[in-house]
C-alpha cells in the first residue's frame, strides 16, 4: 500500500505543477509548459531508478490530453476534465458491478492472489467484499461531489488541489474498505478464503489446505498425503 501510494503521489506531480503555476501566473500556457516538464521529469526519474515507467507515461499522456483540452477551450478548468470523467466512469462501473454481484474489490483481490473467482463460492465473502466496496464507492462519490461544483464554478486552483489529493483519498478509502471487509468476515473460514491466503503468502505453501463444502459454511483440514 505504501509503495502504491508513493507511486500515486509521484504521478500527480504534473497536476501539482499546473495548479501551482496557474495560481501564481494565471496563464494557461505557462501552467501547461510546467505540467509537461514535470511529467517528463517523472518519467526520467523512474527510468533512472529502473522502475516501471508505464504509470508515469500514462500520467504524461493524460496531461497531454488535458493540456489539449485546456488550450483548445481557453479554460484552465478543462485541464481537469479527463480526471473528472475518469472518476465518474469508475463510480458508474463500480455501482453496476455491485448490482450484478461482482464487487470490484473481490475481482481485484482475486487477480492479485491468483484465486480468480473462487471467492464468489462463499456467500460470506461475497457479502464482505460488497460492504467493503461500498466504502470505496462512497469515497469516489464524495470526490465527485467536491469536484463537479468546483469545475462548474471555474475554480481552477481549488479543483487542482482536490485533484492532487485525490490519490491519497482513494487509497485511504480502499484501506478503510479492506478493514470493513475483514471486520464483516470476522473469524469465518472457508476453502476459497484459505486458498487465497496460501496464494498471497508463499511461506505457507506447505501447510495443509482446508476443504470446504460447496456452500462455504465451514472447512475441514486434510494433510498433504491425503490430498495426494
Amino acid at each position: 500500500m505504501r509503495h502504491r501510494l508513493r507511486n500515486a503521489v509521484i504521478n500527480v506531480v504534473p497536476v501539482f505543477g499546473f495548479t501551482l503555476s496557474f495560481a501564481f501566473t494565471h496563464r494557461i500556457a505557462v501552467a501547461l509548459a510546467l505540467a509537461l516538464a514535470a511529467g517528463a521529469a517523472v518519467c526520467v526519474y523512474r527510468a533512472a531508478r529502473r522502475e516501471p515507467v508505464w504509470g508515469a507515461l500514462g500520467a504524461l499522456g493524460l496531461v497531454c490530453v488535458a493540456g489539449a483540452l485546456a488550450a483548445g477551450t481557453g479554460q484552465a478548468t478543462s485541464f481537469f476534465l479527463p480526471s473528472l470523467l475518469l472518476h465518474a466512469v469508475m463510480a458508474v462501473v463500480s455501482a453496476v458491478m455491485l448490482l450484478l454481484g461482482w464487487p470490484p474489490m473481490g475481482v481485484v483481490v482475486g487477480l492479485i492472489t491468483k484465486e480468480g473467482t473462487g471467492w464468489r463460492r462463499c456467500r460470506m465473502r461475497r457479502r464482505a467484499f460488497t460492504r467493503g466496496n461500498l466504502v470505496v464507492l462512497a469515497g469516489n462519490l464524495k470526490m465527485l461531489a467536491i469536484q463537479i461544483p468546483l469545475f462548474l464554478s471555474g475554480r481552477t486552483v481549488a479543483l487542482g488541489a482536490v485533484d492532487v489529493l485525490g490519490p491519497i483519498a482513494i487509497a485511504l478509502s480502499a484501506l478503510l474498505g479492506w478493514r470493513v471487509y475483514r471486520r464483516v468476515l470476522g473469524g469465518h473460514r472457508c476453502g476459497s478464503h484459505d486458498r487465497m491466503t496460501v496464494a498471497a503468502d508463499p511461506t505457507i505453501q506447505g501447510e495443509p489446505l482446508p476443504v470446504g463444502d460447496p456452500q462455504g459454511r465451514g472447512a475441514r483440514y486434510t494433510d498433504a498425503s491425503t490430498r495426494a
Side-chain angles (χ1 to χ4, degrees):
M1 177 64 72
R2 288 194 299 268
H3 177 71
R4 292 179 181 273
L5 184 59
R6 181 181 69 87
N7 288 341
V9 170
I10 292 175
N11 288 338
V12 298
V13 168
V15 178
F16 178 76
F18 177 89
T19 304
L20 187 64
S21 59
F22 186 81
F24 283 102
T25 65
H26 294 284
R27 296 178 61 184
I28 297 178
V30 175
L32 288 178
L34 186 56
L36 291 172
V42 169
C43 292
V44 172
Y45 169 78
R46 289 195 181 280
R49 291 175 57 90
R50 296 183 178 179
E51 296 179 354
V53 298
W54 298 112
L57 288 175
L60 181 59
L62 193 63
V63 169
C64 292
V65 173
L69 288 173
T73 61
Q75 300 292 327
T77 51
S78 297
F79 181 84
F80 304 100
L81 185 58
S83 175
L84 186 62
L85 292 176
L86 181 62
H87 288 161
V89 170
M90 289 173 56
V92 172
V93 171
S94 182
V96 171
M97 292 184 69
L98 283 170
L99 290 175
L100 295 177
W102 287 84
M105 180 182 290
V107 176
V108 172
V109 170
L111 291 174
I112 292 175
T113 62
K114 295 180 172 50
E115 181 195 10
T117 60
W119 54 272
R120 297 197 78 248
R121 292 193 291 268
C122 176
R123 182 181 304 174
M124 192 68 180
R125 291 187 66 203
R126 291 202 308 269
R127 183 185 306 166
F129 274 129
T130 298
R131 293 188 180 180
N133 217 136
L134 286 173
V135 175
V136 180
L137 178 59
N140 199 353
L141 292 176
K142 184 65 175 178
M143 285 288 298
L144 286 172
I146 297 174
Q147 288 177 307
I148 291 176
L150 293 176
F151 178 82
L152 295 177
S153 60
R155 300 178 61 183
T156 303
V157 177
L159 185 59
V162 173
D163 206 50
V164 168
L165 295 176
I168 299 176
I170 293 175
L172 290 177
S173 65
L175 181 59
L176 182 58
W178 181 254
R179 290 180 65 89
V180 170
Y181 163 80
R182 296 296 298 271
R183 182 177 293 274
V184 173
L185 199 62
H188 175 76
R189 308 290 292 180
C190 65
S192 60
H193 181 270
D194 286 294
R195 285 177 174 81
M196 184 194 76
T197 304
V198 172
D201 188 355
T203 62
I204 60 174
Q205 289 287 347
E207 296 293 329
L209 285 174
V211 180
D213 60 7
Q215 303 299 324
R217 290 181 297 232
R220 57 183 177 83
Y221 286 82
T222 58
D223 56 24
S225 61
T226 303
R227 291 199 309 273

